[in-house]
Amino acid sequence: VRADRTVDHVGRQTETTLLNAKSVARAERSWIVISVESPERDRYIFRARNVGKTPARITSINKQNTAVNTQETKLKITPEFERGEGLNAIQPFFLPPTASCIIFDYSLKEMGIDGTADKKSKAITIYSYGRVVYSDVTDSTAVHETKWLYMKLAAESSLPFPDPFYPEHNSNA
C-alpha cells in the first residue's frame, strides 16, 4: 500500500512539474505586437515588434490600407481578412526578442489626401489592418497570429490608433 501511495505521489509531482514547465514556456514565447510611429508629418510607419523572450519565425504577413468617406459609407473588411485566407506568403524570417521590423508605411499624400482640415478631408478615415502569422523557434508546431485594425482620422494630426469599434480585430494569440 505504501509503495502504491509513493508511486501515485511521484506521478502527481511529475504531472505538476510538466504543467509548470509548459506554463513557463508559454510565458517566455515570442509575442508580436504592432506599433505605429510618425517620423514626419502625415507619414506613418507600422512595425511588428517581438516583445517575447524567444525568437519568432514570421511566416506570413497580410496588410491593407483603405480610405473611407465615413459620411457616405462604412468600413467593409475584406472577407479574406475575416477568414484568415489570402495571407501573403513571404520568405520566412526570424525576429529576435526586442527587435522590430517595418510591416508597411504610408503617407496621406500617397493615398491622395492632402491632410488639410477641409470639409472633404474631415469625413475621411483611413483604416490600416492586417495579420502576422508566426511561430516560436522552440516550438514550430504552435502557430500564433497578431491581428490589428487601426484607424486614422485624416483631418487630425494624431497617430493611427486601434479601432475601438472592432476590438475583435486587435488581438495577439
Side-chain angles (χ1 to χ4, degrees):
V1 172
R2 184 174 256 178
D4 288 340
R5 285 185 190 163
T6 302
V7 168
D8 184 49
H9 179 70
V10 169
R12 281 185 273 143
Q13 280 184 325
T14 302
E15 188 176 310
T16 302
T17 302
L18 181 60
L19 288 173
N20 190 28
K22 286 182 180 180
S23 177
V24 168
R26 274 194 303 270
E28 299 205 353
R29 76 171 182 84
S30 57
W31 286 91
I32 302 296
V33 297
I34 305 302
S35 63
V36 63
E37 57 193 51
S38 181
E40 60 190 59
R41 182 172 171 79
D42 295 336
R43 180 168 174 240
Y44 306 97
I45 296 175
F46 286 77
R47 292 183 170 275
R49 181 176 307 279
N50 182 356
V51 297
K53 295 184 179 182
T54 59
R57 183 176 184 263
I58 297 179
T59 55
S60 65
I61 298 174
N62 183 1
K63 58 196 180 287
Q64 185 163 339
N65 258 0
T66 185
V68 175
N69 184 330
T70 53
Q71 290 179 340
E72 298 173 4
T73 187
K74 190 176 177 181
L75 171 68
K76 291 184 181 164
I77 295 175
T78 60
E80 295 81 18
F81 180 78
E82 295 270 348
R83 293 189 303 263
E85 299 168 359
L87 293 174
N88 298 325
I90 59 170
Q91 182 69 34
F93 65 94
F94 294 102
L95 192 60
T98 71
S100 69
C101 66
I102 295 174
I103 297 175
F104 73 99
D105 70 308
Y106 73 89
S107 70
L108 294 182
K109 186 176 180 180
E110 290 169 354
M111 296 192 72
I113 301 166
D114 63 7
T116 61
D118 66 18
K119 190 173 182 179
K120 183 179 177 186
S121 290
K122 282 185 179 179
I124 294 180
T125 300
I126 300 164
Y127 291 94
S128 304
Y129 60 95
R131 174 186 313 231
V132 176
V133 177
Y134 62 99
S135 62
D136 267 346
V137 294
T138 57
D139 182 10
S140 61
T141 61
V143 177
H144 309 288
E145 73 176 6
T146 296
K147 299 189 307 185
W148 76 90
L149 171 59
Y150 279 61
M151 65 187 295
K152 163 77 177 94
L153 306 175
E156 300 289 327
S157 62
S158 62
L159 288 173
F161 55 91
D163 189 333
F165 303 111
Y166 298 95
E168 68 275 13
H169 295 306
N170 288 294
S171 64
N172 303 26

